[in-house]
Amino acid sequence: MRRASLRAAGRASLPIALALLPAVAGAVPYVSTPFEVVRAMLEVARVGPSDYLMDLGSGDGRIVVVAAESYGARAVGIERDADLVRESNENARQAGVTDRVEFREADLFATDMRGVSVLTMYLLPSVNLALRLRILDQLAPGARVVSHAFDMGDWLPDEHLVVGGADVYLWIVPANAAGTWRLTVAGEGGAPGASAEIEVLQRFQKVTVVARGASAPLRIAGAELRGDELSLDVVDRAGGGGRRRFTGRVADGEIVGGFGDGRPARLERLRAGKIATDRTARTAK
């Protein structure tokens, strides 16, 4: 975040003071993230050597440098202040991670985030909200988003912790599972199994799933979506009415997975739906 005087905020706490400052053309005040919080952000996102991390409003580069130095990730910082970019490059040189990091003097709203597996930020609430649809559109399902201090409105976090008095929020970018599906469950010993149409309603990562038709042989008693992984509690009315947990991955118009007992199941998408948000919705791709 960019440097700016916080005197006008009086005796308010730092997050409240920042929230009162206007964000003009994407500019936000620079206030460094304490290293204790930096490490908590990287830990909750489970950053590792296979990750490509992007820090929006990277300041002196500390999140990028620590991600590379301590967690082995490739990382890039996006920062509008040329002086801070120079300072970040020097910090990377001193840490010996210049081969794994990059700092760009750029506007975060014009930055392409595709291919990023972890996105970190310490921005203003209004900026978080303005970025929300870009995050959903550009990051792949399963990508992790971590914010210091500020949330993203009614896109509720998957995890929330408090570190040294600071809020840290984690979101897992959800796949688009919305729409109508045909669920087919394999029978015992290879025998024909039950099938039913189910309707998935989705708001961000929260899903509600119902079987279509009161006489459907399968009933959905619960559902959870985390990234591209959909879990369903399935009740087979024809098979005694017991509840079993199905887990599968959303990809290319189908969800293939199985139950804890090894019995396979498959969902075939019949009609695509949309992820609902408070402003708009995203059509399945």
Side-chain angles (χ1 to χ4, degrees), residues 181 230 246-251 253-258 264-268:
W181 301 79
L230 179 70
F246 163 84
T247 301
R249 297 200 176 275
V250 183
E254 65 177 1
I255 303 173
V256 178
R266 176 175 180 266
L267 288 97
E268 177 187 4

Side-chain angles (χ1 to χ4, degrees), residues 235-243:
V235 177
D236 186 347
R237 289 169 168 160
R243 179 187 297 196

Side-chain angles (χ1 to χ4, degrees), residues 123-136:
L123 304 169
L124 296 173
S126 59
V127 179
N128 283 9
L129 290 176
L131 286 169
R132 205 166 63 174
L133 290 180
R134 286 177 58 83
I135 290 170
L136 287 169

